[in-house]
Structures are given as structure tokens and as C-alpha cells.
Amino acid sequence: MPRMSSERLARLLDEYAELEKRLADPAIHADQGTARRVGRRYAELVPLNKAAAELEQARADLAAARELAAEDPSFAAEAETLAAELPAIEERLAELLIPRDPHDAKDVIVEIKAGEGGEESALFAGDLLRMYTRYAERRGWLTEVIDAQDSDLGGVKDVSLAIKTKGVPEGGNGVWSRLKWEGGVHRVQRVPVTESQGRIHTSAAGVLVLPEAEDVDVTIDPNELRIDVFRSSGPGGQSVNTTDSAVRITHLPTGIVVSCQNEKSQLQNREQAMRILRARLLAAAQEQADAAASDARKAQVRTVDRSERIRTYNFPQNRITDHRIGYTAYNLDLALAGELDGVLDALSEADRAARLAGDPELARR
């Protein structure tokens, strides 16, 4: 193992041991936020610690088998078997040592916005909302609609959906690790319900996936916020159009504007809007850091770029195509029902191959 990798492994194993001690201390559980963050990081390092221990044991077994084989040739076959198994363990450990996405353990906020295409685009945005909700149900994740603006025919013009894991995600693989690929323009080709001539139309919806930020991730100065209140214009019971319960928050330094009107109380809408604002600020900070790190990464907005068409949903052919990696499958009906693992696994594998090749952004272009 190269010296740099050996040093990184030693640092990570030391971190694992320290986190293990912290989690064993009952005092940490008095602060659930801290306990959750430490638990997530610990879960990320569990596979690495396991692989390192397995490699150490395999090397010890091989050394013992070779020593015995020098005295008794009957142990030679065992030594050869152990030697053949060693490269696979070393490769797995080397892969685990590649710096991972720092947000992989996080929950997410998915924003879906209808694009050009009027009601058909809003109906498609509603289809995407149901697709992600059903996928979350299959994974055992929790979902919460933070804010939504419905269309006249039952679609959605704009919706913010929070998706989170229950407890600490295994191996540090949270919702972001699976859904970070979904940001961009999703295009649909089908005969709209509003089409009387049976012609196929093309419309689109934009998806934005943000890692949900915690208080420690983003610091917001209250003096840099402009908060306006107004009357809700959508579902919400008796308070709609009668009280100023809707909230609009403007972050003055960045110009980011977030509105929320789903809840009946102004306080609840303000809390929900702040959740979205923190997530957007975290994504913006990450984008700036990426751009500063390398010119080649300036185009990478991860799941924030809506300008790139990433996927087509063709109803006449029951086809789903992801244009970034050339993935095509004829199971669109199943994908819309929440069976997204096929395309998400393909994207994850493309990202894995790119990282091993030293180009961590290849799979996202």
C-alpha cells in the first residue's frame, strides 16, 4: 500500500477508535444532534475498520501458512489459496480509502418544479413526486412535504419534499448517497390528458436535490434576513386567505429567496422555510468550494444544476433513459412506481469507476 494511503488509513482508524469511545460515553446521548452526527461518521468508518482488520488477519494467516509450508509441503496449497484471496481484500480497502462524498450520510430536501408545458408539466412534476415518495417507502425512509403549490388538474407547480432515514444509516449511506444523482431536468414524452388529438408532447420538470443542513453546517446571521409575511393561496384550511401565515425569507448576502405557506401558523412556515434556506446555503457553499478547487469542477453543481437534461421518460415505449451514462431500460412503469434501484445502481457504479480512475466528477457530467 502506498505511503500516503497507509498514513490515511492510520488516521481513519484512529478516528474510528476515538468515535467508538465517544459513543460509549453516556453523556454524548444528552445531545441527540451531536450523538446523531457522531453516529453517522462512525457508521461511515465501520466498513473501513472491518476491511482493515480482515486484511491484517489475512496477511497473518498467509505468513503462518507459508511458515508451515516450509516445514510441511501439505500447507503449500493453503498458502496459495490465501495469497490468491489477498488482492481482493486489498482492492476493497483501497476503494474505501478513496475520499467519499462528505454529504453521503445526510438526509435531503428534494425540490420539484414544473417547467414549460403548462398543466402537463405540472402533472409530470406530480408523477416525479410520487416516484420519489414511493422509492422512499421501499427504502424505509421517512417523507415530509414541506411546502407545495398544486395545479388545477392535480399536479404540482412547485413542491419541497424532505426525505430522511430512520436512525443512523448503515455504512454512512444516507438518502443523499442514493438521490444525489437526481438533480437536473427530467423530460417526459407522452400524450397529455389535455391533448384531444392523441399527439405525443414533450415537457419537462426541474429537480433539485439538497443535502439537508444542520445548524452546525451553516451559520445564518438573523440580521442578514428579510422576512415578509403574506396570505396563503393554497390548501391549508380556514386560515387560507384570512391570515398572514405564509412566510417569505430573503437571505440578503446571496439573494436566495424561500417561501413557505403549507402550514397554518406563521411560526411553522418560518421554521420550514429556514430548513430549505439552510440546505440551499450549504449547497451554494459547496458549489463555491468546488469551483475554487479546480477549473474542471466549475461546471459541476452536483445535484443543483437544472440546466442539464439528465433523463427522459418515454411513455409510448415504456422507456427510461439516463443521458449521463447511456442507461436505458424498458420498465418506466416500474420506475414511476418507485423501483429506481436499476438506474441509481448504474449511476452509483459509474461514479465508483470514475473515482477509482481518479476522476470523481465523470459520472455527473
Side-chain angles (χ1 to χ4, degrees):
M1 184 179 296
R3 180 181 175 183
M4 184 175 296
S5 296
S6 298
E7 292 176 350
R8 174 172 169 76
L9 175 60
R11 288 198 305 271
L12 292 175
L13 292 179
D14 286 344
E15 182 183 359
Y16 173 87
E18 179 60 31
L19 292 172
E20 192 170 41
K21 289 180 181 178
R22 290 187 67 186
L23 288 172
D25 183 357
I28 194 175
H29 300 286
D31 183 342
Q32 289 302 310
T34 299
R36 183 173 172 80
R37 287 192 298 273
V38 172
R40 281 179 170 177
R41 179 56 177 163
Y42 177 78
E44 289 178 7
L45 295 178
V46 166
L48 178 74
N49 182 74
K50 183 178 179 181
E54 186 178 348
L55 179 60
E56 183 178 1
Q57 185 61 53
R59 286 173 171 171
D61 291 344
L62 176 59
R66 283 175 171 170
E67 185 177 342
L68 291 170
E71 302 175 359
D72 185 348
S74 64
F75 286 97
E78 181 179 352
E80 290 180 5
T81 299
L82 290 170
E85 294 173 349
L86 208 57
I89 304 174
E90 291 174 335
E91 182 179 350
R92 186 167 74 252
L93 181 59
E95 183 178 336
L96 290 169
L97 282 171
I98 297 174
R100 63 184 293 165
D101 188 324
H103 299 314
D104 272 352
K106 288 186 176 294
D107 300 324
V108 305
I109 293 176
V110 179
E111 297 184 7
I112 306 171
K113 294 183 181 293
E116 296 181 0
E119 280 294 337
E120 165 59 9
S121 178
L123 288 170
F124 178 51
D127 291 338
L128 293 177
L129 172 61
R130 284 185 290 275
M131 180 180 76
Y132 292 128
T133 300
R134 289 167 179 169
Y135 181 67
E137 291 172 352
R138 290 176 177 273
R139 302 284 297 196
W141 295 337
L142 304 173
T143 60
E144 173 194 3
V145 174
I146 298 176
D147 194 45
Q149 297 180 37
D150 298 330
S151 70
D152 294 336
L153 296 182
V156 291
K157 298 178 182 178
D158 191 344
V159 61
S160 296
L161 176 71
I163 307 178
K164 58 181 61 181
T165 58
K166 296 178 181 178
V168 176
E170 183 178 353
N173 296 312
V175 184
W176 174 262
S177 71
R178 294 298 288 172
L179 294 186
K180 60 186 173 183
W181 326 107
E182 293 303 288
V185 173
H186 294 240
R187 184 178 68 171
V188 62
Q189 296 171 330
R190 65 182 175 188
V191 179
V193 294
T194 55
E195 170 58 54
S196 59
Q197 303 297 319
R199 293 172 297 185
I200 296 174
H201 286 227
T202 298
S203 61
V207 176
L208 183 68
V209 184
L210 304 168
E212 181 154 11
E214 301 177 48
D215 291 339
V216 295
D217 297 324
V218 177
T219 301
I220 300 177
D221 184 349
N223 296 320
E224 296 178 341
L225 300 178
R226 185 176 72 238
I227 301 177
D228 303 306
V229 296
F230 57 97
R231 292 187 179 181
S232 301
S233 59
Q238 296 178 351
S239 63
V240 173
N241 292 322
T242 62
T243 62
D244 292 334
S245 60
V247 174
R248 181 187 300 110
I249 299 178
T250 303
H251 186 248
L252 299 176
T254 62
I256 294 175
V257 180
V258 178
S259 298
C260 196
Q261 61 178 9
N262 251 36
E263 304 296 338
K264 291 184 179 181
S265 83
Q266 188 182 120
L267 179 60
Q268 289 175 315
N269 281 322
R270 176 170 174 162
E271 290 175 349
Q272 298 289 45
M274 286 297 293
R275 287 177 64 184
I276 298 175
L277 177 61
R278 280 194 294 269
R280 289 189 184 179
L281 288 173
L282 179 63
Q286 184 66 52
E287 181 184 349
Q288 291 175 358
D290 291 343
S294 168
D295 288 342
R297 297 179 67 182
K298 286 184 179 178
Q300 181 238 337
V301 197
R302 196 156 275 162
T303 57
V304 180
D305 188 0
R306 297 175 190 228
S307 65
E308 179 188 1
R309 182 195 68 191
I310 64 166
R311 191 174 298 152
T312 295
Y313 303 74
N314 185 294
F315 276 70
Q317 299 178 16
N318 195 37
R319 171 173 56 84
I320 180 171
T321 299
D322 194 286
H323 304 289
R324 294 165 292 183
I325 56 174
Y327 173 93
T328 294
Y330 294 87
N331 61 349
L332 175 57
D333 54 338
L334 297 178
L336 290 174
E339 295 187 19
L340 283 174
D341 279 332
V343 62
L344 295 180
D345 285 344
L347 285 161
S348 181
E349 179 57 31
D351 180 71
R352 171 185 171 276
R355 288 178 181 275
L356 287 172
D359 185 359
E361 309 311 330
L362 181 63
R364 299 192 181 98
R365 292 175 186 160

